[in-house]
Amino acid sequence: MRKLHSLRSRKGNVKLVLLAVVVLAVVAFVALGFAANPTGERADSTSYVLATVERGDLAVEVTDRGNLESSSNVEHRCEVEGRVGGGTSGGTTILWIIEEGTQVKEGELLVELDSSNLEDMEKTQRIAYENALSTYELAKSEKETAEKTIKEHKEGIFIQEEKTNQSLVTVEEENLKRAQELVKHSEMLYRKGFETKEAMEAARFSVTSATLNLESAQLALSVYLAVTKDRTLTELNGLLESKRAALRAEKTKVEQEKERLDTVVTQLGNCNINAKAEGMVVYYKPARSWGRQEDDIQEGTAVRERQKLIILPDLENMQVRMLVHESKIDWIKAGQPARIRIDAFADQVLTGIVTTVATTPEQGPWYDRAKRNYPVNIKIDEPIEGLKPGMTAETTILVEKIIEVVKVPVQSVRTVGQNSECYVVKPGSDKPEKRLVTLGRSNDEHIQILSG
């Protein structure tokens, strides 16, 4: 029997296909050279390609193309902040980058970014930090002086002032006693005629004067203890709190300036990107949207903060990333086996297993926004030597195996609107008859017929 030829494209162009489906032994055939007339019926056929309807097992498979990548990549990004970078458009310019494909060891220099702007910032910020530190030390000294002044008053000046005032009271008390004794003596002499009245009055006045002086000294002591000492202490404590507040403010400023300086120093260090592990250098190439131009990673281009630059793939853990159309994504589950054929090693078939199935699709290109494909990762069981990220592979995922089903070649069925149809011929007749059919699962060669 001749091989069945497809009379329609994969995109669903409607062309005439005939299949004869008969219970028990059946023969399917495709009419070549007849087309639909205006009424929708088919004209007589002149030649046919025959295909036998089979009952048997159907391996439901999903086949598509994808690209190799490592399932375990060590990523290296630009960690220089955009606001402090020295490149154009807020980015940082690549001065030097290691050649792609180079085998590197951990710690080896991969990328050198422009640090000239950061070096200027580091000098300016270091001056600002030193100035803040100087002001902080001055505030610290003033605070300590205020503390010592309070201690000096409490342990020295207050005690001294109190003793001085108390001493004045004692002196005035002694002066009053002497004045009082002098008055008594003067009055006795006056009575005996040995003292004049004026002298006696002068003695009495000295008592009055001494009394006033004593009261003044006592008042001064009382005011000092009740008011002056407390007011002075309050003023000194207020000054101390002011100095403490100023010190806290200066300390905060020092910390801020130090943090800014540390940030700039860290950013300077980030201008040299070193390998985090041993491996082969691969430049990161993001997927490009239609019409969008991305700058290649090379010397002289500006890179953004957090932009991926280099990956070191683990070549011992390779996987295929393929996109599955939304109509079949429900078929794919983690753990399903797969066959993988790498274009560069077309004579070898590798085995793998589905590891992840995305829950959200990737948006289609601008000319087909309604298209939805879901990323699926298939881990290669035993990678062969020579595999590299970016290689193209054709992967077939075994969804399931259906036992004892009616199956026909996929080219024998066409879709018209919401209906699927075949053309069949009964035994002993050469006239094709259209049949509506209900379809089940399929692979690239056969499709299951559920009814019709």
Side-chain angles (χ1 to χ4, degrees), residues 82-298:
R83 61 186 178 87
V84 297
T88 59
S89 302
T92 308
T93 303
I94 298 176
L95 296 183
W96 176 86
I97 187 168
I98 196 169
E99 186 177 353
E100 188 172 22
T102 304
Q103 289 288 337
V104 296
K105 296 181 179 180
E106 183 177 357
E108 190 170 343
L109 182 63
L110 301 179
V111 183
E112 182 181 353
L113 301 175
D114 183 14
S115 62
S116 57
N117 187 48
L118 284 166
E119 289 171 356
D120 292 339
M121 291 183 65
E122 191 268 343
K123 294 176 183 177
T124 301
Q125 188 55 42
R126 191 170 294 280
I127 293 173
Y129 170 66
E130 294 294 341
N131 288 336
L133 192 62
S134 175
T135 305
Y136 168 75
E137 291 298 332
L138 179 60
K140 183 179 179 182
S141 175
E142 292 178 347
K143 189 268 296 185
E144 292 174 351
T145 298
E147 290 175 338
K148 291 177 180 179
T149 300
I150 291 177
K151 184 177 181 181
E152 178 185 24
H153 277 73
K154 287 182 177 181
E155 298 180 1
I157 294 177
F158 287 156
I159 297 174
Q160 183 180 358
E161 290 291 335
E162 183 177 351
K163 288 183 176 181
T164 299
N165 283 280
Q166 185 64 54
S167 176
L168 290 175
V169 171
T170 303
V171 169
E172 295 303 329
E173 287 176 343
E174 186 63 29
N175 289 337
L176 178 58
K177 288 179 182 180
R178 290 181 180 181
Q180 289 172 342
E181 291 176 355
L182 181 61
V183 168
K184 290 179 182 180
H185 183 68
S186 179
E187 288 176 347
M188 180 188 67
L189 292 177
Y190 176 75
R191 287 193 298 268
K192 292 180 178 183
F194 296 111
E195 184 81 301
T196 64
K197 184 177 180 180
E198 288 77 8
M200 182 185 68
E201 292 297 332
R204 289 177 177 176
F205 179 76
S206 66
V207 171
T208 302
S209 177
T211 301
L212 293 174
N213 289 339
L214 176 59
E215 291 175 354
S216 177
Q218 289 174 335
L219 180 61
L221 175 61
S222 177
V223 170
Y224 175 76
L225 293 175
V227 179
T228 306
K229 178 180 178 181
D230 185 64
R231 183 195 65 198
T232 303
L233 187 59
T234 300
E235 291 176 351
L236 292 175
N237 284 329
L239 180 61
L240 175 59
E241 289 304 318
S242 174
K243 298 302 182 182
R244 285 174 175 171
L247 180 62
R248 288 194 296 269
E250 295 302 329
K251 182 180 180 181
T252 300
K253 187 175 181 180
V254 167
E255 291 172 350
Q256 290 176 340
E257 298 296 347
K258 182 64 166 60
E259 184 178 350
R260 294 189 183 104
L261 177 60
D262 290 343
T263 298
V264 176
V265 171
T266 300
Q267 294 298 303
L268 270 172
N270 291 340
C271 288
N272 288 339
I273 303 176
N274 299 313
K276 301 176 184 178
E278 184 177 352
M280 182 183 69
V281 172
V282 176
Y283 294 170
Y284 178 74
K285 299 177 178 63
R288 301 184 179 183
S289 301
W290 184 272
R292 180 183 177 186
Q293 182 64 37
E294 294 279 358
D295 292 333
D296 291 332
I297 296 175
Q298 60 185 353

Side-chain angles (χ1 to χ4, degrees), residues 345 348 383-387:
F345 304 91
Q348 300 187 56
I384 59 177
E385 185 177 355
L387 296 184

